Amino acid sequence: MGTIDRAHGVTRLGLLITAGVVLAALAVSVLALRAELYGPDPPDVIPTMSEPATSEPAATSAAPTSRPSSTPTQGETGPPTSREPTSRERYEQAARRELEQGLVAYNPPAQARVQEDFEVTVRVQRGTVTVSPSLRSLPGTAPVIIEKLPVGTYMRAELRGSGLDVQPLSDKFQLIDGVTEWAWRVTPQTDGVRTLRLTLVVELNDLPLSSRTFERAIAVDVEKQPPWYKRAWGLLDVAGVVTAIVIAAILGSAKLARVWWVRRKVDEEAGGEDSGTAADAPDVSAPTATADGKSTAAANGNQPNP
């Protein structure tokens, strides 16, 4: 019996091993068949016979989720490096190369009178390292104002104001070479506080690089003309008249004193000569005539000439 039981046990073990090998072979066959049908990565959902699979879902799932790097996205800013710059961009680049820092000097008067003209002078130089002496020596008595501003090769200057007649004395458009000067003659037409507007613009190819490169508002207090009698009195140089009168009086007094001194000298000399002649002359009596017609000396003993 023991031998029979052992034989049955071996037989059962062999059957179990055989069954396991068969099941493993079946599993490998099934996996190989699925790989041939759906590829190495089968889809999560296998379409059934009632709902056949179409190509559209596969195309949708296979579409890329990000745009190519060569195409700019909506959030990107700035021109692509591969694109040619526009004319405006080239113009702005030229403007940046053209502009540099410089100095401007001007000295407008703070006060003026109606119908009395005055001049406004503006000078511009390239660079700010040193200040040219010509910037500090502007014509006029008003204090000179020196400021920084963008400077280019060509600049345009304008001066205008309401109630003021402004006449340019130089070209409006000039080349900035060393120190460049603009000048205007301004004649106030009405009294009150008037505003002069000074504008300096850098131009490139007949176009302004900035609409307002440099602009300043200058206030001028314009007074009315005084009455005619004050103007007539003002025309007289009172100090000059007084000085002339004093000089004339001094000269007249000196002349009178000289004449008096000369006359006195003459009188003194004349009086001295008269007294000296009378004292030194000999006492000579008047000659007398004798009976024979010959004259004789009276008391001096001199014999008369025969």
Side-chain angles (χ1 to χ4, degrees):
M1 290 296 293
T3 304
I4 296 172
D5 291 337
R6 285 195 296 271
H8 284 293
V10 172
T11 303
R12 289 176 182 176
L13 180 59
L15 291 174
L16 290 174
I17 293 173
T18 303
V21 171
V22 172
L23 290 175
L26 289 175
V28 171
S29 299
V30 171
L31 292 175
L33 180 61
R34 292 184 64 181
E36 292 179 359
L37 293 176
Y38 303 106
D41 295 328
D44 294 338
V45 178
I46 300 175
T48 60
M49 296 300 294
S50 59
E51 297 179 358
T54 60
S55 60
E56 294 180 359
T60 305
S61 61
T65 58
S66 62
R67 297 183 180 181
S69 59
S70 60
T71 304
T73 59
Q74 185 177 1
E76 294 178 353
T77 58
T81 56
S82 60
R83 180 175 60 85
E84 290 292 333
T86 62
S87 59
R88 181 62 184 177
E89 292 170 352
R90 289 195 298 268
Y91 189 77
E92 291 176 353
Q93 293 173 2
R96 286 191 294 270
R97 292 192 301 267
E98 174 72 13
L99 294 176
E100 65 175 300
Q101 284 294 317
L103 297 175
V104 57
Y106 56 99
N107 62 338
Q111 295 182 344
R113 284 187 176 179
V114 177
Q115 298 301 326
E116 291 185 3
D117 57 0
F118 59 89
E119 290 188 8
V120 176
T121 304
V122 176
R123 292 176 181 172
V124 174
Q125 77 166 30
R126 281 181 175 270
T128 58
V129 178
T130 59
V131 180
S132 174
S134 59
L135 295 185
R136 303 183 185 275
S137 59
L138 294 179
T141 58
V144 179
I145 302 172
I146 299 178
E147 299 184 58
K148 293 183 178 180
L149 82 164
V151 178
T153 304
Y154 291 95
M155 295 189 68
R156 174 170 48 87
E158 294 181 353
L159 185 69
R160 60 188 184 277
S162 177
L164 301 167
D165 182 20
V166 182
Q167 298 294 330
L169 302 178
S170 57
D171 294 335
K172 182 185 299 184
F173 188 71
Q174 295 194 49
L175 171 68
I176 307 301
D177 185 13
V179 177
T180 305
E181 177 181 302
W182 287 270
W184 298 267
R185 179 179 290 109
V186 182
T187 305
Q189 303 296 323
T190 56
D191 61 315
V193 179
R194 300 298 169 187
T195 302
L196 281 170
R197 296 193 178 275
L198 174 63
T199 306
L200 295 167
V201 180
V202 179
E203 292 192 359
L204 179 64
N205 299 330
D206 298 332
L207 293 175
L209 295 183
S210 176
S211 60
R212 294 178 181 177
T213 299
F214 180 85
E215 185 172 8
R216 290 293 181 270
I218 305 166
V220 181
D221 186 10
V222 180
E223 300 178 353
K224 294 182 178 180
Q225 284 285 351
W228 66 268
Y229 54 88
K230 289 186 177 181
R231 293 198 300 270
W233 178 256
L235 293 177
L236 295 176
D237 188 0
V238 178
V241 172
V242 173
T243 303
I245 293 174
V246 171
I247 293 174
I250 293 174
L251 294 177
S253 300
K255 188 174 182 180
L256 292 176
R258 182 174 181 278
V259 171
W260 176 81
W261 181 82
V262 169
R263 288 183 177 178
R264 182 178 178 182
K265 189 69 175 175
V266 170
D267 293 343
E268 289 178 354
E269 292 178 355
E273 291 178 355
D274 295 341
S275 59
T277 303
D280 297 336
D283 188 7
V284 178
S285 61
T288 57
T290 60
D292 55 2
K294 297 180 179 180
S295 60
T296 60
N300 57 3
N302 292 331
Q303 296 294 325
N305 295 326

